[in-house]
Amino acid sequence: MKIFFIFDSTYPFYTGGIETWVFNVCERLAGKHEITIFTVQNYRNDNSMGKFENINPEIQIIPVKNLNHVPGIKHLVHKHIALFNSNITVHMMCREIKKHLSTEEAYYLIGLGTVFAAKTVRIIKRKYKNVKAIASCRSLHPEVLAEEYPGTGWIVRRMESKNLKKMDAVWSNGLDTQEALRRKGFDSIVIKNGVDFIRLDQEKNYDYGDMGLENEIIIATIGSVSKIKGYYEIIRAVRILKERYKLTVHFVGIGNVNEYNRKKFETFASKNRVAEQIHLIGEHRNVVSYAKGADIVVCTSGGSGYGMAILESMTSRTPIVAWDTRGYRQLLVDGESAKLVKPWDEKALADGIYYVYTHREEIEDWGEHANTRAKEFDWYIVIKEIEHALKSLNE
């Protein structure tokens, strides 16, 4: 199969959730299929957002330029201009994709996102009848864009609707995302995120003594250091544990962090009098090792779908405290594989952490139950499901 992946980040010079999905999927598909990735050329002049290494040379990566590559203009690309720039990206993507298409062969075009990436696929589909168009909903893009760019909600929602109506298939990354799309009037099939289960299951525990945290209570979280990942609530929970329960808890945040966010959360930790207990260690490839070495893993993301961070946390076998949301309930069972607590409530989070810490016998099997569930998301299984979904478009 000839498979094109389209999205508007600077892959491989970016290592967010969607990019991690693409990396793992493409690396495993490349042995049997012809894989091409259309992306945006890196404009940061560094690897500050991370970079995937050792990419299979059989995977063709084709970057395009947009306003971020125009000297003197890229500094103006923010706020609502960023949406205009996304449309520029769509135009440049379409122009480049057409160079790599013929009318004689079958192609599968997968837009990573339901707004601009899917718009690119829709435009190509309009001209090339030998193309199967797929929109992969890896997060609720219109809702995220509407929050980031106030006043644009109706524009991006209309664009999403127009795109999805023209797709041959819509993929969702979890049951919660599938339900959200159904409420909008669109059916989808679930194409999961995955984990390299065997490798991660064999990771050794990280020794927090290397950070000078011997004989301490360690809680960890996996995921980018940002508001939507629940960092404010975790930091407040650490303060509550210190004041109410007299516990010295060290929180280790494992994930991509820029200097702005680092300073923001460290300042917030200082205001809450827990600066010495907050450790934002940045992006690491062996995140499961850190999770295994911790006493408790907290999962407080506001994202959707089968998130990779929660799957990695489940692989670690470390007891989990997570929000009681649809996103986590589709993976975890309260009292069986995790402690689920009231979402976005730092008091409930602190109480949940304290409960897990003080009920060791009761939670003894939770980690094993979570690990067994995570095994269902091994990349081998995910790739089989993707291949089946693509082949079914021809039936």
PDB file of all heavy atoms in Angstrom, residues 175 306 322-334 340 343 373:
ATOM      1  N   LEU A 175     -12.570   5.516  22.953  1.00  0.00           N
ATOM      2  CA  LEU A 175     -14.035   5.469  23.024  1.00  0.00           C
ATOM      3  C   LEU A 175     -14.621   6.835  23.342  1.00  0.00           C
ATOM      4  O   LEU A 175     -15.703   7.180  22.862  1.00  0.00           O
ATOM      5  CB  LEU A 175     -14.470   4.454  24.083  1.00  0.00           C
ATOM      6  CG  LEU A 175     -14.081   2.993  23.813  1.00  0.00           C
ATOM      7  CD1 LEU A 175     -14.469   2.124  24.995  1.00  0.00           C
ATOM      8  CD2 LEU A 175     -14.727   2.485  22.530  1.00  0.00           C
ATOM      9  N   TYR A 306      -6.992   7.078  24.133  1.00  0.00           N
ATOM     10  CA  TYR A 306      -6.072   6.196  24.850  1.00  0.00           C
ATOM     11  C   TYR A 306      -4.696   6.852  24.833  1.00  0.00           C
ATOM     12  O   TYR A 306      -3.864   6.572  23.978  1.00  0.00           O
ATOM     13  CB  TYR A 306      -6.009   4.824  24.172  1.00  0.00           C
ATOM     14  CG  TYR A 306      -7.307   4.057  24.152  1.00  0.00           C
ATOM     15  CD1 TYR A 306      -7.902   3.674  22.958  1.00  0.00           C
ATOM     16  CD2 TYR A 306      -7.924   3.683  25.345  1.00  0.00           C
ATOM     17  CE1 TYR A 306      -9.077   2.932  22.942  1.00  0.00           C
ATOM     18  CE2 TYR A 306      -9.103   2.957  25.340  1.00  0.00           C
ATOM     19  CZ  TYR A 306      -9.681   2.586  24.141  1.00  0.00           C
ATOM     20  OH  TYR A 306     -10.845   1.865  24.128  1.00  0.00           O
ATOM     21  N   ALA A 322      -5.631   8.603  39.196  1.00  0.00           N
ATOM     22  CA  ALA A 322      -6.008   9.316  37.973  1.00  0.00           C
ATOM     23  C   ALA A 322      -7.359   9.990  38.146  1.00  0.00           C
ATOM     24  O   ALA A 322      -8.122   9.672  39.061  1.00  0.00           O
ATOM     25  CB  ALA A 322      -6.047   8.344  36.795  1.00  0.00           C
ATOM     26  N   TRP A 323      -7.634  10.929  37.247  1.00  0.00           N
ATOM     27  CA  TRP A 323      -8.950  11.577  37.241  1.00  0.00           C
ATOM     28  C   TRP A 323     -10.032  10.548  36.910  1.00  0.00           C
ATOM     29  O   TRP A 323      -9.815   9.647  36.099  1.00  0.00           O
ATOM     30  CB  TRP A 323      -9.016  12.685  36.202  1.00  0.00           C
ATOM     31  CG  TRP A 323      -8.154  13.889  36.349  1.00  0.00           C
ATOM     32  CD1 TRP A 323      -7.552  14.578  35.332  1.00  0.00           C
ATOM     33  CD2 TRP A 323      -7.821  14.617  37.546  1.00  0.00           C
ATOM     34  NE1 TRP A 323      -6.866  15.662  35.815  1.00  0.00           N
ATOM     35  CE2 TRP A 323      -7.021  15.716  37.166  1.00  0.00           C
ATOM     36  CE3 TRP A 323      -8.113  14.433  38.894  1.00  0.00           C
ATOM     37  CZ2 TRP A 323      -6.507  16.623  38.086  1.00  0.00           C
ATOM     38  CZ3 TRP A 323      -7.606  15.335  39.818  1.00  0.00           C
ATOM     39  CH2 TRP A 323      -6.821  16.412  39.418  1.00  0.00           C
ATOM     40  N   ASP A 324     -11.174  10.726  37.493  1.00  0.00           N
ATOM     41  CA  ASP A 324     -12.329   9.862  37.204  1.00  0.00           C
ATOM     42  C   ASP A 324     -13.081  10.445  36.002  1.00  0.00           C
ATOM     43  O   ASP A 324     -14.169  10.998  36.118  1.00  0.00           O
ATOM     44  CB  ASP A 324     -13.243   9.775  38.430  1.00  0.00           C
ATOM     45  CG  ASP A 324     -14.350   8.735  38.264  1.00  0.00           C
ATOM     46  OD1 ASP A 324     -14.333   8.015  37.243  1.00  0.00           O
ATOM     47  OD2 ASP A 324     -15.226   8.655  39.147  1.00  0.00           O
ATOM     48  N   THR A 325     -12.459  10.316  34.836  1.00  0.00           N
ATOM     49  CA  THR A 325     -13.040  10.827  33.592  1.00  0.00           C
ATOM     50  C   THR A 325     -13.236   9.678  32.615  1.00  0.00           C
ATOM     51  O   THR A 325     -12.664   8.599  32.771  1.00  0.00           O
ATOM     52  CB  THR A 325     -12.119  11.877  32.945  1.00  0.00           C
ATOM     53  OG1 THR A 325     -10.850  11.247  32.654  1.00  0.00           O
ATOM     54  CG2 THR A 325     -11.896  13.068  33.863  1.00  0.00           C
ATOM     55  N   ARG A 326     -14.013   9.945  31.561  1.00  0.00           N
ATOM     56  CA  ARG A 326     -14.258   8.910  30.556  1.00  0.00           C
ATOM     57  C   ARG A 326     -12.944   8.437  29.937  1.00  0.00           C
ATOM     58  O   ARG A 326     -12.766   7.244  29.648  1.00  0.00           O
ATOM     59  CB  ARG A 326     -15.199   9.464  29.467  1.00  0.00           C
ATOM     60  CG  ARG A 326     -15.487   8.477  28.338  1.00  0.00           C
ATOM     61  CD  ARG A 326     -16.408   7.366  28.784  1.00  0.00           C
ATOM     62  NE  ARG A 326     -16.590   6.332  27.764  1.00  0.00           N
ATOM     63  CZ  ARG A 326     -17.449   6.395  26.752  1.00  0.00           C
ATOM     64  NH1 ARG A 326     -18.216   7.468  26.606  1.00  0.00           N
ATOM     65  NH2 ARG A 326     -17.565   5.408  25.899  1.00  0.00           N
ATOM     66  N   GLY A 327     -12.019   9.363  29.743  1.00  0.00           N
ATOM     67  CA  GLY A 327     -10.742   9.007  29.147  1.00  0.00           C
ATOM     68  C   GLY A 327      -9.996   7.960  29.944  1.00  0.00           C
ATOM     69  O   GLY A 327      -9.400   7.025  29.384  1.00  0.00           O
ATOM     70  N   TYR A 328      -9.997   8.099  31.264  1.00  0.00           N
ATOM     71  CA  TYR A 328      -9.296   7.132  32.110  1.00  0.00           C
ATOM     72  C   TYR A 328     -10.153   5.917  32.433  1.00  0.00           C
ATOM     73  O   TYR A 328      -9.633   4.805  32.583  1.00  0.00           O
ATOM     74  CB  TYR A 328      -8.809   7.810  33.390  1.00  0.00           C
ATOM     75  CG  TYR A 328      -7.650   8.755  33.156  1.00  0.00           C
ATOM     76  CD1 TYR A 328      -7.717  10.099  33.530  1.00  0.00           C
ATOM     77  CD2 TYR A 328      -6.487   8.312  32.539  1.00  0.00           C
ATOM     78  CE1 TYR A 328      -6.665  10.958  33.299  1.00  0.00           C
ATOM     79  CE2 TYR A 328      -5.425   9.171  32.300  1.00  0.00           C
ATOM     80  CZ  TYR A 328      -5.512  10.494  32.690  1.00  0.00           C
ATOM     81  OH  TYR A 328      -4.462  11.343  32.452  1.00  0.00           O
ATOM     82  N   ARG A 329     -11.462   6.102  32.525  1.00  0.00           N
ATOM     83  CA  ARG A 329     -12.330   4.957  32.838  1.00  0.00           C
ATOM     84  C   ARG A 329     -12.351   3.925  31.721  1.00  0.00           C
ATOM     85  O   ARG A 329     -12.666   2.758  31.953  1.00  0.00           O
ATOM     86  CB  ARG A 329     -13.765   5.431  33.119  1.00  0.00           C
ATOM     87  CG  ARG A 329     -13.956   6.095  34.472  1.00  0.00           C
ATOM     88  CD  ARG A 329     -15.439   6.151  34.831  1.00  0.00           C
ATOM     89  NE  ARG A 329     -16.225   6.858  33.853  1.00  0.00           N
ATOM     90  CZ  ARG A 329     -16.442   8.169  33.847  1.00  0.00           C
ATOM     91  NH1 ARG A 329     -15.919   8.940  34.796  1.00  0.00           N
ATOM     92  NH2 ARG A 329     -17.184   8.737  32.913  1.00  0.00           N
ATOM     93  N   GLN A 330     -12.012   4.327  30.488  1.00  0.00           N
ATOM     94  CA  GLN A 330     -11.989   3.350  29.403  1.00  0.00           C
ATOM     95  C   GLN A 330     -10.757   2.436  29.498  1.00  0.00           C
ATOM     96  O   GLN A 330     -10.649   1.448  28.757  1.00  0.00           O
ATOM     97  CB  GLN A 330     -12.038   4.045  28.051  1.00  0.00           C
ATOM     98  CG  GLN A 330     -10.834   4.909  27.737  1.00  0.00           C
ATOM     99  CD  GLN A 330     -11.027   5.774  26.505  1.00  0.00           C
ATOM    100  OE1 GLN A 330     -11.872   5.504  25.667  1.00  0.00           O
ATOM    101  NE2 GLN A 330     -10.243   6.824  26.392  1.00  0.00           N
ATOM    102  N   LEU A 331      -9.853   2.754  30.420  1.00  0.00           N
ATOM    103  CA  LEU A 331      -8.649   1.955  30.608  1.00  0.00           C
ATOM    104  C   LEU A 331      -8.517   1.371  32.011  1.00  0.00           C
ATOM    105  O   LEU A 331      -7.935   0.296  32.191  1.00  0.00           O
ATOM    106  CB  LEU A 331      -7.409   2.800  30.311  1.00  0.00           C
ATOM    107  CG  LEU A 331      -7.142   3.133  28.843  1.00  0.00           C
ATOM    108  CD1 LEU A 331      -6.110   4.233  28.729  1.00  0.00           C
ATOM    109  CD2 LEU A 331      -6.694   1.897  28.087  1.00  0.00           C
ATOM    110  N   LEU A 332      -9.012   2.095  33.002  1.00  0.00           N
ATOM    111  CA  LEU A 332      -8.793   1.746  34.403  1.00  0.00           C
ATOM    112  C   LEU A 332     -10.113   1.509  35.120  1.00  0.00           C
ATOM    113  O   LEU A 332     -11.129   2.111  34.788  1.00  0.00           O
ATOM    114  CB  LEU A 332      -8.027   2.866  35.108  1.00  0.00           C
ATOM    115  CG  LEU A 332      -6.647   3.217  34.530  1.00  0.00           C
ATOM    116  CD1 LEU A 332      -6.158   4.529  35.113  1.00  0.00           C
ATOM    117  CD2 LEU A 332      -5.648   2.103  34.809  1.00  0.00           C
ATOM    118  N   VAL A 333     -10.067   0.648  36.141  1.00  0.00           N
ATOM    119  CA  VAL A 333     -11.234   0.379  36.980  1.00  0.00           C
ATOM    120  C   VAL A 333     -10.909   0.808  38.396  1.00  0.00           C
ATOM    121  O   VAL A 333      -9.914   0.350  38.982  1.00  0.00           O
ATOM    122  CB  VAL A 333     -11.610  -1.118  36.949  1.00  0.00           C
ATOM    123  CG1 VAL A 333     -12.804  -1.382  37.877  1.00  0.00           C
ATOM    124  CG2 VAL A 333     -11.930  -1.559  35.523  1.00  0.00           C
ATOM    125  N   ASP A 334     -11.722   1.699  38.944  1.00  0.00           N
ATOM    126  CA  ASP A 334     -11.486   2.200  40.300  1.00  0.00           C
ATOM    127  C   ASP A 334     -11.521   1.046  41.297  1.00  0.00           C
ATOM    128  O   ASP A 334     -12.447   0.236  41.312  1.00  0.00           O
ATOM    129  CB  ASP A 334     -12.558   3.241  40.657  1.00  0.00           C
ATOM    130  CG  ASP A 334     -12.311   3.878  42.012  1.00  0.00           C
ATOM    131  OD1 ASP A 334     -11.132   4.122  42.336  1.00  0.00           O
ATOM    132  OD2 ASP A 334     -13.293   4.117  42.747  1.00  0.00           O
ATOM    133  N   LEU A 340      -9.377   6.254  41.193  1.00  0.00           N
ATOM    134  CA  LEU A 340      -9.909   7.339  40.374  1.00  0.00           C
ATOM    135  C   LEU A 340     -10.547   8.385  41.283  1.00  0.00           C
ATOM    136  O   LEU A 340     -11.327   8.036  42.186  1.00  0.00           O
ATOM    137  CB  LEU A 340     -10.932   6.803  39.373  1.00  0.00           C
ATOM    138  CG  LEU A 340     -10.417   5.722  38.410  1.00  0.00           C
ATOM    139  CD1 LEU A 340     -11.508   5.312  37.432  1.00  0.00           C
ATOM    140  CD2 LEU A 340      -9.176   6.201  37.664  1.00  0.00           C
ATOM    141  N   PRO A 343     -12.196  14.863  39.064  1.00  0.00           N
ATOM    142  CA  PRO A 343     -11.317  15.594  38.140  1.00  0.00           C
ATOM    143  C   PRO A 343     -11.055  17.031  38.559  1.00  0.00           C
ATOM    144  O   PRO A 343     -11.938  17.710  39.075  1.00  0.00           O
ATOM    145  CB  PRO A 343     -12.079  15.539  36.810  1.00  0.00           C
ATOM    146  CG  PRO A 343     -13.061  14.425  36.960  1.00  0.00           C
ATOM    147  CD  PRO A 343     -13.419  14.385  38.407  1.00  0.00           C
ATOM    148  N   ARG A 373      -3.846  -4.952  31.185  1.00  0.00           N
ATOM    149  CA  ARG A 373      -4.675  -4.169  30.272  1.00  0.00           C
ATOM    150  C   ARG A 373      -3.809  -3.459  29.231  1.00  0.00           C
ATOM    151  O   ARG A 373      -4.156  -3.407  28.039  1.00  0.00           O
ATOM    152  CB  ARG A 373      -5.491  -3.152  31.067  1.00  0.00           C
ATOM    153  CG  ARG A 373      -6.313  -2.177  30.237  1.00  0.00           C
ATOM    154  CD  ARG A 373      -7.527  -2.838  29.629  1.00  0.00           C
ATOM    155  NE  ARG A 373      -8.459  -1.842  29.122  1.00  0.00           N
ATOM    156  CZ  ARG A 373      -8.874  -1.782  27.853  1.00  0.00           C
ATOM    157  NH1 ARG A 373      -8.471  -2.676  26.964  1.00  0.00           N
ATOM    158  NH2 ARG A 373      -9.726  -0.852  27.483  1.00  0.00           N
TER     159      ARG A 373
END
